[in-house]
Amino acid sequence: MREGYTTGACATAATKAATIGLLTGAIPETVTIHLPAGKDATFTLHQRCIDDGAVLCSVIKDAGDDPDVTHGAEICARVSRREPLGIELAGGVGVGTVTRPGLGLEIGGPAINPVPRRMITDVVIDAAGELLRRHGLRVEISVPAGAELARRTLNARLGIAGGISILGTTGIVKPWSTAAWRASVLQGIDVAVANGVTHLVLSTGGRSESFARRLYPALPEMAFVEMGEFTGHALKRAAARGIRMVTLSGMIGKLSKIAQGHFMTHVAGNQVDPAFLSRIAAETGADAALVAAIAGANTARHVQELARASDRPALFVRIAALVTERSRALIHDALCVETILFDFDETILARVSDGE
């Protein structure tokens, strides 16, 4: 599948073109930058404009075959001279503003991550050369559709207001990569810790998170992290950051995988195992007919329906207990773990904390 480029790479390319245009009066149609991944990439400029002593250039982000929310977004850089020496990096329209600690960025500053900051600064130094000994330069990054795009990201929860983040550690977007999602989960935990949260609710999906929110109305929004598939990564990060308690919120499909010891729960990595669930059913006193029916079930939801129809709540309690036990073992009992197994209608099928 086709790779694409990060918002940080696009902002860097636009900055390089605008800097060249400011210094020479001629804006190139394409620019080549060196990516942190170790290779060069050439970008075609979308907008090239000299206006009132400044130069504005833009690049249309191509995320390749990745379903990135910023695919097709216009990433702009406006470069102008300023009186103090040095390079000023600013966020314009559509670039979020940092409002909370824990992101590794200055509160009140633009949400431009460290690697893109370095990339942008490096191309300005390279293009401007000796001029920087006599003049300062201001670089303003903007994304016209950024505020709208940000509504489809986790930015608001992380404490980034008004727009998207300028991201990227390699400059390259790998199609269908889980790296960005995993990074956002870990960053969400870091933000919660930096703001004094000691009880995290890690949910396997949006629905189970909404159920847990109603169960814990007093917890702040940042205490809720949709961990998705990354249970193991999230638990280890929470333990490393000193969180005292974690509530794992989910439904039978994902939680049954964790109960079996699988802490990466993507369907492609491992399937729901009816044989495992049938053994639990047998251990908790189910009759032979139910055990056989569960062994032949085609989905976790089917298992749940069979257990509920046979009035076997002990099956759900055992699943939740195993999730708690396996999670505690993974992090060497570094924090308290509670597991809540929800039905699809918000009914709590089981709720197990340490020692239960």
PDB file of all heavy atoms in Angstrom, residues 171-202:
ATOM      1  N   GLY A 171       8.244  11.530   9.445  1.00  0.00           N
ATOM      2  CA  GLY A 171       7.877  12.256   8.233  1.00  0.00           C
ATOM      3  C   GLY A 171       6.996  11.439   7.311  1.00  0.00           C
ATOM      4  O   GLY A 171       6.424  11.967   6.361  1.00  0.00           O
ATOM      5  N   ILE A 172       6.874  10.153   7.602  1.00  0.00           N
ATOM      6  CA  ILE A 172       6.145   9.238   6.726  1.00  0.00           C
ATOM      7  C   ILE A 172       4.920   8.687   7.447  1.00  0.00           C
ATOM      8  O   ILE A 172       4.990   8.340   8.631  1.00  0.00           O
ATOM      9  CB  ILE A 172       7.055   8.079   6.273  1.00  0.00           C
ATOM     10  CG1 ILE A 172       8.189   8.612   5.400  1.00  0.00           C
ATOM     11  CG2 ILE A 172       6.267   7.000   5.527  1.00  0.00           C
ATOM     12  CD1 ILE A 172       9.224   7.576   5.043  1.00  0.00           C
ATOM     13  N   VAL A 173       3.817   8.596   6.731  1.00  0.00           N
ATOM     14  CA  VAL A 173       2.615   7.933   7.223  1.00  0.00           C
ATOM     15  C   VAL A 173       2.555   6.553   6.584  1.00  0.00           C
ATOM     16  O   VAL A 173       2.509   6.428   5.363  1.00  0.00           O
ATOM     17  CB  VAL A 173       1.340   8.724   6.861  1.00  0.00           C
ATOM     18  CG1 VAL A 173       0.088   7.927   7.240  1.00  0.00           C
ATOM     19  CG2 VAL A 173       1.333  10.078   7.549  1.00  0.00           C
ATOM     20  N   LYS A 174       2.573   5.531   7.431  1.00  0.00           N
ATOM     21  CA  LYS A 174       2.461   4.167   6.912  1.00  0.00           C
ATOM     22  C   LYS A 174       0.986   3.784   6.888  1.00  0.00           C
ATOM     23  O   LYS A 174       0.280   3.971   7.873  1.00  0.00           O
ATOM     24  CB  LYS A 174       3.250   3.187   7.780  1.00  0.00           C
ATOM     25  CG  LYS A 174       4.759   3.403   7.690  1.00  0.00           C
ATOM     26  CD  LYS A 174       5.509   2.329   8.436  1.00  0.00           C
ATOM     27  CE  LYS A 174       7.018   2.528   8.312  1.00  0.00           C
ATOM     28  NZ  LYS A 174       7.477   2.355   6.928  1.00  0.00           N
ATOM     29  N   PRO A 175       0.490   3.255   5.770  1.00  0.00           N
ATOM     30  CA  PRO A 175      -0.933   2.953   5.660  1.00  0.00           C
ATOM     31  C   PRO A 175      -1.400   1.953   6.702  1.00  0.00           C
ATOM     32  O   PRO A 175      -0.748   0.939   6.947  1.00  0.00           O
ATOM     33  CB  PRO A 175      -1.076   2.385   4.242  1.00  0.00           C
ATOM     34  CG  PRO A 175       0.289   1.984   3.842  1.00  0.00           C
ATOM     35  CD  PRO A 175       1.222   2.897   4.556  1.00  0.00           C
ATOM     36  N   TRP A 176      -2.528   2.309   7.339  1.00  0.00           N
ATOM     37  CA  TRP A 176      -3.162   1.459   8.338  1.00  0.00           C
ATOM     38  C   TRP A 176      -2.231   1.148   9.507  1.00  0.00           C
ATOM     39  O   TRP A 176      -2.346   0.126  10.159  1.00  0.00           O
ATOM     40  CB  TRP A 176      -3.683   0.158   7.716  1.00  0.00           C
ATOM     41  CG  TRP A 176      -4.718   0.422   6.679  1.00  0.00           C
ATOM     42  CD1 TRP A 176      -4.524   0.558   5.325  1.00  0.00           C
ATOM     43  CD2 TRP A 176      -6.101   0.649   6.907  1.00  0.00           C
ATOM     44  NE1 TRP A 176      -5.705   0.825   4.695  1.00  0.00           N
ATOM     45  CE2 TRP A 176      -6.704   0.881   5.640  1.00  0.00           C
ATOM     46  CE3 TRP A 176      -6.927   0.649   8.030  1.00  0.00           C
ATOM     47  CZ2 TRP A 176      -8.059   1.130   5.469  1.00  0.00           C
ATOM     48  CZ3 TRP A 176      -8.277   0.890   7.871  1.00  0.00           C
ATOM     49  CH2 TRP A 176      -8.827   1.128   6.608  1.00  0.00           C
ATOM     50  N   SER A 177      -1.320   2.039   9.772  1.00  0.00           N
ATOM     51  CA  SER A 177      -0.420   1.843  10.905  1.00  0.00           C
ATOM     52  C   SER A 177      -1.170   2.111  12.205  1.00  0.00           C
ATOM     53  O   SER A 177      -2.002   3.011  12.278  1.00  0.00           O
ATOM     54  CB  SER A 177       0.765   2.803  10.795  1.00  0.00           C
ATOM     55  OG  SER A 177       1.497   2.822  11.993  1.00  0.00           O
ATOM     56  N   THR A 178      -0.857   1.334  13.226  1.00  0.00           N
ATOM     57  CA  THR A 178      -1.453   1.566  14.537  1.00  0.00           C
ATOM     58  C   THR A 178      -0.599   2.491  15.401  1.00  0.00           C
ATOM     59  O   THR A 178      -0.971   2.791  16.524  1.00  0.00           O
ATOM     60  CB  THR A 178      -1.635   0.236  15.288  1.00  0.00           C
ATOM     61  OG1 THR A 178      -0.354  -0.397  15.419  1.00  0.00           O
ATOM     62  CG2 THR A 178      -2.583  -0.690  14.543  1.00  0.00           C
ATOM     63  N   ALA A 179       0.521   2.924  14.867  1.00  0.00           N
ATOM     64  CA  ALA A 179       1.454   3.707  15.679  1.00  0.00           C
ATOM     65  C   ALA A 179       0.832   5.004  16.178  1.00  0.00           C
ATOM     66  O   ALA A 179       1.010   5.385  17.338  1.00  0.00           O
ATOM     67  CB  ALA A 179       2.714   4.000  14.876  1.00  0.00           C
ATOM     68  N   ALA A 180       0.097   5.693  15.312  1.00  0.00           N
ATOM     69  CA  ALA A 180      -0.495   6.972  15.717  1.00  0.00           C
ATOM     70  C   ALA A 180      -1.549   6.769  16.800  1.00  0.00           C
ATOM     71  O   ALA A 180      -1.652   7.560  17.748  1.00  0.00           O
ATOM     72  CB  ALA A 180      -1.104   7.673  14.500  1.00  0.00           C
ATOM     73  N   TRP A 181      -2.340   5.727  16.662  1.00  0.00           N
ATOM     74  CA  TRP A 181      -3.377   5.444  17.659  1.00  0.00           C
ATOM     75  C   TRP A 181      -2.731   5.103  19.001  1.00  0.00           C
ATOM     76  O   TRP A 181      -3.116   5.623  20.043  1.00  0.00           O
ATOM     77  CB  TRP A 181      -4.255   4.299  17.162  1.00  0.00           C
ATOM     78  CG  TRP A 181      -5.427   3.990  18.042  1.00  0.00           C
ATOM     79  CD1 TRP A 181      -5.836   4.659  19.158  1.00  0.00           C
ATOM     80  CD2 TRP A 181      -6.360   2.916  17.880  1.00  0.00           C
ATOM     81  NE1 TRP A 181      -6.955   4.072  19.698  1.00  0.00           N
ATOM     82  CE2 TRP A 181      -7.293   3.002  18.940  1.00  0.00           C
ATOM     83  CE3 TRP A 181      -6.485   1.897  16.941  1.00  0.00           C
ATOM     84  CZ2 TRP A 181      -8.339   2.095  19.081  1.00  0.00           C
ATOM     85  CZ3 TRP A 181      -7.539   0.998  17.088  1.00  0.00           C
ATOM     86  CH2 TRP A 181      -8.456   1.097  18.135  1.00  0.00           C
ATOM     87  N   ARG A 182      -1.734   4.215  18.965  1.00  0.00           N
ATOM     88  CA  ARG A 182      -1.064   3.845  20.200  1.00  0.00           C
ATOM     89  C   ARG A 182      -0.451   5.070  20.869  1.00  0.00           C
ATOM     90  O   ARG A 182      -0.548   5.251  22.087  1.00  0.00           O
ATOM     91  CB  ARG A 182       0.017   2.804  19.915  1.00  0.00           C
ATOM     92  CG  ARG A 182       0.725   2.324  21.185  1.00  0.00           C
ATOM     93  CD  ARG A 182       1.745   1.226  20.895  1.00  0.00           C
ATOM     94  NE  ARG A 182       2.851   1.705  20.090  1.00  0.00           N
ATOM     95  CZ  ARG A 182       3.109   1.347  18.846  1.00  0.00           C
ATOM     96  NH1 ARG A 182       2.315   0.485  18.227  1.00  0.00           N
ATOM     97  NH2 ARG A 182       4.142   1.827  18.191  1.00  0.00           N
ATOM     98  N   ALA A 183       0.162   5.942  20.066  1.00  0.00           N
ATOM     99  CA  ALA A 183       0.775   7.152  20.608  1.00  0.00           C
ATOM    100  C   ALA A 183      -0.261   8.052  21.268  1.00  0.00           C
ATOM    101  O   ALA A 183      -0.003   8.650  22.312  1.00  0.00           O
ATOM    102  CB  ALA A 183       1.507   7.907  19.506  1.00  0.00           C
ATOM    103  N   SER A 184      -1.452   8.146  20.676  1.00  0.00           N
ATOM    104  CA  SER A 184      -2.489   9.002  21.255  1.00  0.00           C
ATOM    105  C   SER A 184      -3.006   8.427  22.565  1.00  0.00           C
ATOM    106  O   SER A 184      -3.342   9.177  23.490  1.00  0.00           O
ATOM    107  CB  SER A 184      -3.642   9.197  20.263  1.00  0.00           C
ATOM    108  OG  SER A 184      -4.382   8.008  20.103  1.00  0.00           O
ATOM    109  N   VAL A 185      -3.060   7.094  22.667  1.00  0.00           N
ATOM    110  CA  VAL A 185      -3.467   6.456  23.923  1.00  0.00           C
ATOM    111  C   VAL A 185      -2.457   6.780  25.022  1.00  0.00           C
ATOM    112  O   VAL A 185      -2.826   7.210  26.126  1.00  0.00           O
ATOM    113  CB  VAL A 185      -3.589   4.926  23.743  1.00  0.00           C
ATOM    114  CG1 VAL A 185      -3.770   4.236  25.101  1.00  0.00           C
ATOM    115  CG2 VAL A 185      -4.765   4.596  22.825  1.00  0.00           C
ATOM    116  N   LEU A 186      -1.182   6.589  24.727  1.00  0.00           N
ATOM    117  CA  LEU A 186      -0.145   6.850  25.727  1.00  0.00           C
ATOM    118  C   LEU A 186      -0.085   8.332  26.093  1.00  0.00           C
ATOM    119  O   LEU A 186       0.114   8.692  27.257  1.00  0.00           O
ATOM    120  CB  LEU A 186       1.209   6.370  25.206  1.00  0.00           C
ATOM    121  CG  LEU A 186       1.290   4.875  24.860  1.00  0.00           C
ATOM    122  CD1 LEU A 186       2.695   4.516  24.388  1.00  0.00           C
ATOM    123  CD2 LEU A 186       0.883   4.015  26.041  1.00  0.00           C
ATOM    124  N   GLN A 187      -0.284   9.192  25.099  1.00  0.00           N
ATOM    125  CA  GLN A 187      -0.288  10.636  25.364  1.00  0.00           C
ATOM    126  C   GLN A 187      -1.478  11.016  26.236  1.00  0.00           C
ATOM    127  O   GLN A 187      -1.365  11.870  27.122  1.00  0.00           O
ATOM    128  CB  GLN A 187      -0.324  11.399  24.048  1.00  0.00           C
ATOM    129  CG  GLN A 187       0.027  12.871  24.177  1.00  0.00           C
ATOM    130  CD  GLN A 187       0.172  13.535  22.826  1.00  0.00           C
ATOM    131  OE1 GLN A 187      -0.726  13.480  21.998  1.00  0.00           O
ATOM    132  NE2 GLN A 187       1.306  14.157  22.598  1.00  0.00           N
ATOM    133  N   GLY A 188      -2.622  10.370  26.006  1.00  0.00           N
ATOM    134  CA  GLY A 188      -3.795  10.628  26.836  1.00  0.00           C
ATOM    135  C   GLY A 188      -3.531  10.295  28.292  1.00  0.00           C
ATOM    136  O   GLY A 188      -3.953  11.025  29.200  1.00  0.00           O
ATOM    137  N   ILE A 189      -2.829   9.195  28.532  1.00  0.00           N
ATOM    138  CA  ILE A 189      -2.471   8.821  29.908  1.00  0.00           C
ATOM    139  C   ILE A 189      -1.518   9.853  30.503  1.00  0.00           C
ATOM    140  O   ILE A 189      -1.672  10.278  31.657  1.00  0.00           O
ATOM    141  CB  ILE A 189      -1.864   7.411  29.924  1.00  0.00           C
ATOM    142  CG1 ILE A 189      -2.928   6.377  29.536  1.00  0.00           C
ATOM    143  CG2 ILE A 189      -1.277   7.092  31.310  1.00  0.00           C
ATOM    144  CD1 ILE A 189      -2.381   4.989  29.294  1.00  0.00           C
ATOM    145  N   ASP A 190      -0.537  10.284  29.729  1.00  0.00           N
ATOM    146  CA  ASP A 190       0.422  11.280  30.220  1.00  0.00           C
ATOM    147  C   ASP A 190      -0.272  12.593  30.603  1.00  0.00           C
ATOM    148  O   ASP A 190       0.060  13.207  31.620  1.00  0.00           O
ATOM    149  CB  ASP A 190       1.481  11.556  29.156  1.00  0.00           C
ATOM    150  CG  ASP A 190       2.430  10.386  28.955  1.00  0.00           C
ATOM    151  OD1 ASP A 190       2.424   9.459  29.781  1.00  0.00           O
ATOM    152  OD2 ASP A 190       3.177  10.396  27.951  1.00  0.00           O
ATOM    153  N   VAL A 191      -1.216  13.014  29.771  1.00  0.00           N
ATOM    154  CA  VAL A 191      -1.945  14.255  30.064  1.00  0.00           C
ATOM    155  C   VAL A 191      -2.754  14.103  31.350  1.00  0.00           C
ATOM    156  O   VAL A 191      -2.773  15.004  32.208  1.00  0.00           O
ATOM    157  CB  VAL A 191      -2.868  14.629  28.889  1.00  0.00           C
ATOM    158  CG1 VAL A 191      -3.853  15.733  29.292  1.00  0.00           C
ATOM    159  CG2 VAL A 191      -2.044  15.096  27.694  1.00  0.00           C
ATOM    160  N   ALA A 192      -3.409  12.966  31.516  1.00  0.00           N
ATOM    161  CA  ALA A 192      -4.197  12.737  32.730  1.00  0.00           C
ATOM    162  C   ALA A 192      -3.309  12.807  33.971  1.00  0.00           C
ATOM    163  O   ALA A 192      -3.653  13.460  34.962  1.00  0.00           O
ATOM    164  CB  ALA A 192      -4.902  11.384  32.638  1.00  0.00           C
ATOM    165  N   VAL A 193      -2.163  12.150  33.908  1.00  0.00           N
ATOM    166  CA  VAL A 193      -1.243  12.140  35.052  1.00  0.00           C
ATOM    167  C   VAL A 193      -0.731  13.548  35.352  1.00  0.00           C
ATOM    168  O   VAL A 193      -0.674  13.970  36.509  1.00  0.00           O
ATOM    169  CB  VAL A 193      -0.072  11.180  34.779  1.00  0.00           C
ATOM    170  CG1 VAL A 193       1.016  11.328  35.843  1.00  0.00           C
ATOM    171  CG2 VAL A 193      -0.565   9.742  34.735  1.00  0.00           C
ATOM    172  N   ALA A 194      -0.382  14.288  34.306  1.00  0.00           N
ATOM    173  CA  ALA A 194       0.141  15.641  34.493  1.00  0.00           C
ATOM    174  C   ALA A 194      -0.888  16.574  35.110  1.00  0.00           C
ATOM    175  O   ALA A 194      -0.526  17.604  35.693  1.00  0.00           O
ATOM    176  CB  ALA A 194       0.621  16.209  33.159  1.00  0.00           C
ATOM    177  N   ASN A 195      -2.148  16.210  35.007  1.00  0.00           N
ATOM    178  CA  ASN A 195      -3.214  17.034  35.576  1.00  0.00           C
ATOM    179  C   ASN A 195      -3.787  16.451  36.864  1.00  0.00           C
ATOM    180  O   ASN A 195      -4.888  16.807  37.281  1.00  0.00           O
ATOM    181  CB  ASN A 195      -4.321  17.224  34.544  1.00  0.00           C
ATOM    182  CG  ASN A 195      -3.924  18.202  33.456  1.00  0.00           C
ATOM    183  OD1 ASN A 195      -4.078  19.413  33.594  1.00  0.00           O
ATOM    184  ND2 ASN A 195      -3.388  17.664  32.353  1.00  0.00           N
ATOM    185  N   GLY A 196      -3.025  15.553  37.476  1.00  0.00           N
ATOM    186  CA  GLY A 196      -3.383  15.081  38.811  1.00  0.00           C
ATOM    187  C   GLY A 196      -4.357  13.931  38.877  1.00  0.00           C
ATOM    188  O   GLY A 196      -4.830  13.582  39.966  1.00  0.00           O
ATOM    189  N   VAL A 197      -4.685  13.318  37.761  1.00  0.00           N
ATOM    190  CA  VAL A 197      -5.605  12.176  37.763  1.00  0.00           C
ATOM    191  C   VAL A 197      -4.887  10.960  38.346  1.00  0.00           C
ATOM    192  O   VAL A 197      -3.756  10.654  37.976  1.00  0.00           O
ATOM    193  CB  VAL A 197      -6.103  11.867  36.341  1.00  0.00           C
ATOM    194  CG1 VAL A 197      -6.892  10.561  36.303  1.00  0.00           C
ATOM    195  CG2 VAL A 197      -6.966  13.010  35.825  1.00  0.00           C
ATOM    196  N   THR A 198      -5.540  10.255  39.263  1.00  0.00           N
ATOM    197  CA  THR A 198      -4.956   9.035  39.846  1.00  0.00           C
ATOM    198  C   THR A 198      -5.793   7.797  39.542  1.00  0.00           C
ATOM    199  O   THR A 198      -5.350   6.680  39.792  1.00  0.00           O
ATOM    200  CB  THR A 198      -4.819   9.176  41.368  1.00  0.00           C
ATOM    201  OG1 THR A 198      -6.110   9.438  41.938  1.00  0.00           O
ATOM    202  CG2 THR A 198      -3.860  10.302  41.722  1.00  0.00           C
ATOM    203  N   HIS A 199      -7.006   7.986  39.020  1.00  0.00           N
ATOM    204  CA  HIS A 199      -7.889   6.872  38.646  1.00  0.00           C
ATOM    205  C   HIS A 199      -8.219   7.014  37.164  1.00  0.00           C
ATOM    206  O   HIS A 199      -8.864   7.968  36.750  1.00  0.00           O
ATOM    207  CB  HIS A 199      -9.168   6.904  39.483  1.00  0.00           C
ATOM    208  CG  HIS A 199     -10.157   5.830  39.120  1.00  0.00           C
ATOM    209  ND1 HIS A 199     -11.434   5.803  39.642  1.00  0.00           N
ATOM    210  CD2 HIS A 199     -10.067   4.750  38.292  1.00  0.00           C
ATOM    211  CE1 HIS A 199     -12.080   4.750  39.149  1.00  0.00           C
ATOM    212  NE2 HIS A 199     -11.282   4.105  38.326  1.00  0.00           N
ATOM    213  N   LEU A 200      -7.732   6.078  36.365  1.00  0.00           N
ATOM    214  CA  LEU A 200      -7.992   6.073  34.930  1.00  0.00           C
ATOM    215  C   LEU A 200      -9.062   5.058  34.593  1.00  0.00           C
ATOM    216  O   LEU A 200      -9.126   3.978  35.187  1.00  0.00           O
ATOM    217  CB  LEU A 200      -6.731   5.693  34.147  1.00  0.00           C
ATOM    218  CG  LEU A 200      -5.639   6.718  33.915  1.00  0.00           C
ATOM    219  CD1 LEU A 200      -4.497   6.062  33.150  1.00  0.00           C
ATOM    220  CD2 LEU A 200      -6.163   7.918  33.145  1.00  0.00           C
ATOM    221  N   VAL A 201      -9.889   5.388  33.603  1.00  0.00           N
ATOM    222  CA  VAL A 201     -10.830   4.430  33.034  1.00  0.00           C
ATOM    223  C   VAL A 201     -10.385   4.152  31.609  1.00  0.00           C
ATOM    224  O   VAL A 201     -10.435   5.034  30.753  1.00  0.00           O
ATOM    225  CB  VAL A 201     -12.272   4.962  33.058  1.00  0.00           C
ATOM    226  CG1 VAL A 201     -13.220   3.937  32.431  1.00  0.00           C
ATOM    227  CG2 VAL A 201     -12.707   5.273  34.483  1.00  0.00           C
ATOM    228  N   LEU A 202      -9.903   2.941  31.372  1.00  0.00           N
ATOM    229  CA  LEU A 202      -9.429   2.527  30.057  1.00  0.00           C
ATOM    230  C   LEU A 202     -10.510   1.683  29.410  1.00  0.00           C
ATOM    231  O   LEU A 202     -10.877   0.624  29.933  1.00  0.00           O
ATOM    232  CB  LEU A 202      -8.135   1.721  30.182  1.00  0.00           C
ATOM    233  CG  LEU A 202      -6.973   2.403  30.909  1.00  0.00           C
ATOM    234  CD1 LEU A 202      -5.796   1.428  31.035  1.00  0.00           C
ATOM    235  CD2 LEU A 202      -6.547   3.668  30.189  1.00  0.00           C
TER     236      LEU A 202
END
